[in-house]
Amino acid sequence: MFIEKNIGKEIYQKTEHGDTRSTYLGKITDKNQKNLFYVVKEFSRVKAAIIYHGNSRLIFYNADKKFKAQYHFDMPDELPFKLNANTLYFIDKDQKPAKILTLSINDRLPEQILNSHQASFTK
């Protein structure tokens, strides 16, 4: 999954009680172009009775492609739509007209992710 040609491609996977859509956004590198994190956005649905419940998250994997951290979003349209030059791009639809917001990530995950009640991570 973590290869250049898969950037931006959605992978659909049916599960026993719903489905998952994962999109590899790209990698975050240090100033020497060494891989620090691989970034995936994911939206999954689980069916409970006749209603689906959604889960939107941004997942960070370390350079060894092992889970590092995740951040949960309320809605799938809050997930970033791209990663370019270590910067995540989001659309803020609460603004009229809608605005593009950015979050730059350098050699460590931002405090907004690490110190959030919506985040989980491994050391």
Side-chain angles (χ1 to χ4, degrees), residues 38-102:
Y38 295 93
V39 184
V40 175
K41 71 176 181 176
E42 183 176 275
F43 176 68
S44 58
R45 300 184 311 162
V46 176
K47 192 170 187 177
I50 60 171
I51 298 173
Y52 279 98
H53 297 275
N55 181 23
S56 304
R57 60 191 187 140
L58 185 61
I59 308 166
F60 296 87
Y61 295 90
N62 65 19
D64 296 325
K65 301 177 181 173
K66 292 185 176 17
F67 174 84
K68 177 66 178 171
Q70 66 181 345
Y71 184 86
H72 292 272
F73 290 83
D74 293 330
M75 301 298 290
D77 62 353
E78 294 174 344
L79 290 164
F81 64 91
K82 78 175 178 176
L83 170 64
N84 186 30
N86 289 7
T87 301
L88 291 165
Y89 290 80
F90 301 82
I91 296 176
D92 182 358
K93 293 183 179 178
D94 291 335
Q95 302 274 336
K96 298 295 180 215
K99 266 183 131 172
I100 293 179
L101 304 176
T102 61

Side-chain angles (χ1 to χ4, degrees), residues 14-26:
K14 187 123 175 83
T15 62
E16 183 179 351
H17 300 288
D19 55 47
T20 300
R21 290 170 171 80
S22 302
T23 305
Y24 173 50
L25 295 177

